Every structure is written in structure tokens, then in C-alpha cells.
Amino acid sequence: MRRRLVGMLLPIVMAGCSGAGSESRAQPVRGKPAFPGAVGYGAAARGGRGGQVIAVDTLADGGPGSLRACIEATGPRVCIFRVSGTIRFTTRPPVITNPYLSIAGQTAPGGGIVIAHAGGAEGRTPILIKNTHDIVIRHIRVRNDRTGAHRGSEDSFTIENSRQVIIDHVSASWARDELINGYGDNDWITISNSIFAEGIPRHDKCALLASDPRGPQHLSFIGNICAHNGDRNPDLNFPPGSCAEVINNILYNGQSEFAEIWESFGGVPVSLIGNSFVAGRNTRPDTIGVARNVMGSKGTAKVYLADNRFDGDFVHLSPLLKAAEVDRPPCPPTIAAEPADAAYKAVLSDAGAFPRDPFDRRIVKQVRERKGHIVKQPGLIDDPEPGTPYADADGDGMDDRWEAEHGADPRKADPWADADGDGLANLDQFLDQRARDLMDGVTP
């Protein structure tokens, strides 16, 4: 079994902010982790734990059994997939506004789930989390393969005015705005173990982690790949009092800038630890690895840098950065970061939605071989392979065989019982095992 980055980034904490002189030791987690191995400030998002188990058994835009129906339901709920394939929203995509939701893409049979829109006037961000809390999304792909009419409303993922959110092991491509975007008053957010690649020019951006924030925010960006995006790899522009961390990511083939530190909201406190900044075909000698942008500055950022790896001919650190550097993390990091070289190998092995589709396999291969380039147009979706869903006679979201092997009752819906007394609910344990099996290449 492979050693995984998520298994090595311990302990998980939800630390509060502190001054630049604070120590960076681990702190106890507040709340139960969303799943085993959850990391970062969003690690304790509750998701749909304790609620309904809702089967998604159609790829249709809406109606009974659709992903839209699960998203728009109320109360705690877990979306379990009984189909594989591409879900294309032909009307305006649903907005995740009702709290306590888990989207468990790892339950899909065959090649898993892709989410897209139909383009045109309704071609907007396929996954929008807005004015809500306690959302967990794992192992889905968002592919913006058609052009919408409103570029500024066409991210792949957007988190807006929300808290306690974890987006983990997802993949996004071909957005004409950001591949992943934080907007407004977010807090306690984790974006982890994901692949964000091939944003579409002239706005090819990986991650805008804060936009128009009204107050301090806690955000973790851990174990991700940004590849073939001109800049915002990622972009950090939080106000003072925030805790932002960029840890153990691979940032590949930036063009104008890789990571961007802004000060227009008063100066972001941020730690960049154990990341790999790697040149590609579009990287130029004047590309900046970690940029400090002082235009409209309202206060000096606090930037902590440790063990970052720079590979290639570009300006690794902006000359302006020195005035903003601090010698200790502005906030205690939520994880014990892996050394950059070890993290690089782990992220290439484990990032993205599983089972990996041809797109993600290609991106990982290009990073390994220093190949590929920024693309000008969206590509074609590789429709996931069909598959047979696991047997689930009692409709509790778990494989009947797994239940029989682990002391649960395949004849009785018992998702939130704890059959083996290990402190994990049956469904939480099954979903974790299902994800690990997919990552290990095991047919569940």
C-alpha cells in the first residue's frame, strides 16, 4: 500500500490566529474530523453525518434520483452514487445553500462522476457553495468543456459566504474564470489533495483563495496540483487576523506568476511551506515564483517561507518579498508538513479524484516529465466508464458485502451505528475504505 500525504500530515488541528512570534506546535482538533485523514482548517466540517442517505441513480439534470435533488434537499444528507458518467446541468446549475451535505463521489461505480454545464446563458459554475456551512465534497471531477455566456460566473468550484467546508480529492479543468474561487465572507475552509489544471486564457487562473473578504478567514490549501495556469497559483489576499496556509502543493508551469501575495485588504498573514514551484513550457525567465503585489497596499503582509523547492529558470522570490517576510508562521500550521521532496512524490501519487481519468493521468505525467502547456480551448470530456453499483439491499449507502464483513447488518439500514465500536459510524468507515481502495487501485 502506498504511503499517502494525507496519512503523513498529522496532527489535524483547527488552530486560532496568533501573532508572528507564536510557536508553530500542533494543537488538538476541535470537533470530529470530516473523514479519517481530513486536514486543515475545514477538517471538522460535519457534512451530512447523521442524516439521510440519498441515492443518485440518474445522470439527468434534475428530477427524482438526480444530484440536483440531493443538493436541494434539506437537512443532513449524503449523496451516494449508483451511476457513473457525466452529469451535465442543462439548466442553471444548482446552488448548494442547504447546510450539512456530503457528496461522496467515491461511491460511484465504474469510472466515477464528471460534472459539467451545457454552455450558453445557463453555463455557470457547476459547483457553487453559497451562504451555507458544513459541506464535504470528495472524488468528483468538474470539466467546463462548453463556453458559458458569463465568464465571471464560470469557475469550476466557488465557495461564497460559507464556513466549515472541505473540498478534497477533486479535479477541475477548463474554467474561464478560476478553477477554484473563494468569494466573500468564508471561514474554516480546506482545499486538499486535488488537481486544478488547464484554465482557459485570457483568465487562466488556478485558485483565487479570497475575493472581497469582509473579515478574517481561516483557509488551508494542502497537497494540491496547480498545472498550466498563467497565474494565481494560488492567489492570497486576506485581511489581517486571518490564518492562511499553502502547504505541500505542486505548482507547475505558471506563466506570469505562481503564488501571489496581495495587500489590498490590509496585508495577508500566510505560511508557504514545503511546496514545489516547477517551471514548464510557458514559464519565462521573468515569471515570479512567490510574488508580492503592493498595488493598492493597505498594510504589509506577513509571509513565512520554509522548505519550498524551486525548479527552473524563473525569478524564485520577488525582490519585494523581503520586506514582508517573517521568521515564524503568523499562525500555527494545522499540519506537520512533509519535506518538499517527499511531498512532491506523494502529491503526484495521490492528488485528484479517483479512479483517475485520462485527463488527470495526463496532467500527472506532464508534471513528472516537465511537458504540456497552457491550452487555448477546452478539451473533450472522457466520459467515465460504466460500471455495476455495489449491492445495497437496505439502501443505507454501504456495500452489503462490506457490511457483512464488518459487523453491520446488510438487511437493516444502519449507516450511523458503530458496529465495531471504533468510534467511526458505519457509513463513515465504509466511505473511507471505499476511497482508499480506489486510490490503491483495488476494485471495491
Side-chain angles (χ1 to χ4, degrees):
M1 183 178 293
R2 298 175 301 183
R3 295 183 68 208
R4 275 189 201 94
L5 190 64
V6 293
M8 298 183 286
L9 296 174
L10 296 173
I12 306 165
V13 306
M14 292 179 65
C17 296
S18 62
S22 66
E23 295 181 8
S24 57
R25 61 180 180 270
Q27 298 183 13
V29 73
R30 297 179 189 171
K32 190 173 183 178
F35 49 85
V39 295
Y41 286 116
R46 177 177 161 181
R49 182 180 291 128
Q52 300 179 73
V53 175
I54 300 177
V56 177
D57 55 16
T58 177
L59 300 175
D61 174 272
S66 66
L67 177 59
R68 183 187 294 272
C70 186
I71 286 173
E72 294 181 347
T74 59
R77 61 218 184 275
V78 181
C79 304
I80 300 291
F81 292 90
R82 307 293 292 163
V83 290
S84 62
T86 300
I87 297 172
R88 188 178 298 280
F89 295 123
T90 55
T91 58
R92 183 167 296 194
V95 179
I96 298 171
T97 57
N98 295 327
Y100 303 117
L101 169 68
S102 294
I103 297 178
Q106 68 266 39
T107 58
I113 290 293
V114 174
I115 299 174
H117 62 62
E122 305 298 347
R124 297 173 182 259
T125 301
I127 298 293
L128 170 56
I129 301 165
K130 184 172 182 177
N131 300 329
T132 191
H133 59 87
D134 289 283
I135 306 298
V136 178
I137 299 177
R138 303 189 76 198
H139 291 284
I140 63 169
R141 306 166 193 86
V142 175
R143 305 267 183 246
N144 299 43
D145 65 324
R146 298 183 185 177
T147 300
H150 310 277
R151 181 192 61 75
S153 300
E154 198 182 346
D155 302 320
S156 292
F157 291 85
T158 295
I159 307 168
E160 179 177 347
N161 297 325
S162 295
R163 57 186 169 84
Q164 297 285 12
V165 174
I166 182 164
I167 294 177
D168 176 76
H169 281 106
V170 304
S171 179
S173 61
W174 308 325
R176 293 191 305 134
D177 207 15
E178 279 77 27
L179 291 164
I180 188 159
N181 176 37
Y183 180 80
D185 192 25
N186 295 315
D187 208 1
W188 305 103
I189 308 295
T190 292
I191 300 164
S192 56
N193 305 309
S194 297
I195 296 176
F196 303 108
E198 293 190 356
I200 301 301
R202 300 181 174 179
H203 206 75
D204 43 321
K205 317 291 185 182
C206 180
L208 177 61
L209 298 181
S211 179
D212 295 335
R214 295 194 296 269
Q217 302 185 10
H218 297 72
L219 185 140
S220 302
F221 192 76
I222 299 173
N224 303 295
I225 296 174
C226 285
H228 306 314
N229 303 293
D231 56 11
R232 296 184 181 173
N233 293 290
D235 180 299
L236 298 119
N237 194 8
F238 295 86
S242 297
C243 292
E245 57 184 15
V246 177
I247 300 177
N248 286 155
N249 301 282
I250 298 174
L251 311 169
Y252 175 61
N253 195 31
Q255 186 171 45
S256 60
E257 294 171 324
F258 286 83
E260 302 178 36
I261 313 298
W262 287 83
E263 299 178 342
S264 56
F265 292 104
V268 59
V270 60
S271 297
L272 294 97
I273 306 172
N275 301 288
S276 291
F277 297 78
V278 183
R281 175 175 167 181
N282 299 102
T283 305
R284 308 177 304 230
D286 63 347
T287 300
I288 301 176
V290 182
R292 177 186 174 212
N293 294 307
V294 298
M295 183 173 58
S297 175
K298 294 182 175 63
T300 304
K302 294 179 179 179
V303 183
Y304 176 73
L305 302 171
D307 188 38
N308 294 294
R309 165 188 176 186
F310 297 89
D311 184 351
D313 179 19
F314 58 98
V315 179
H316 296 170
L317 300 176
S318 165
L320 298 175
L321 198 60
K322 197 66 179 175
E325 286 190 57
V326 295
D327 59 6
R328 292 186 181 182
C331 304
T334 65
I335 59 172
E338 276 292 294
D341 287 347
Y344 178 83
K345 295 177 182 177
V347 171
L348 284 178
S349 177
D350 295 339
F354 280 78
R356 278 180 172 160
D357 67 354
F359 179 93
D360 281 353
R361 292 197 297 269
R362 173 171 60 82
I363 294 298
V364 168
K365 187 173 188 290
Q366 288 174 349
V367 175
R368 289 185 193 276
E369 298 177 355
R370 306 293 191 265
K371 294 182 178 179
H373 56 87
I374 293 172
V375 301
K376 295 182 179 180
Q377 299 293 333
L380 298 175
I381 290 175
D382 298 290
D383 204 38
E385 295 180 3
T388 302
Y390 51 79
D392 181 15
D394 54 8
D396 59 5
M398 297 177 287
D399 187 329
D400 292 344
R401 295 168 300 175
W402 185 92
E403 289 196 75
E405 292 169 359
H406 291 81
D409 188 345
R411 300 163 300 177
K412 175 185 176 183
D414 53 355
W416 307 118
D418 181 7
D420 58 7
D422 65 352
L424 279 178
N426 295 337
L427 182 57
D428 284 344
Q429 188 172 351
F430 169 72
L431 294 178
D432 176 60
Q433 186 62 58
R434 177 84 180 182
R436 292 177 185 276
D437 285 347
L438 289 176
M439 293 176 69
D440 286 332
V442 177
T443 302

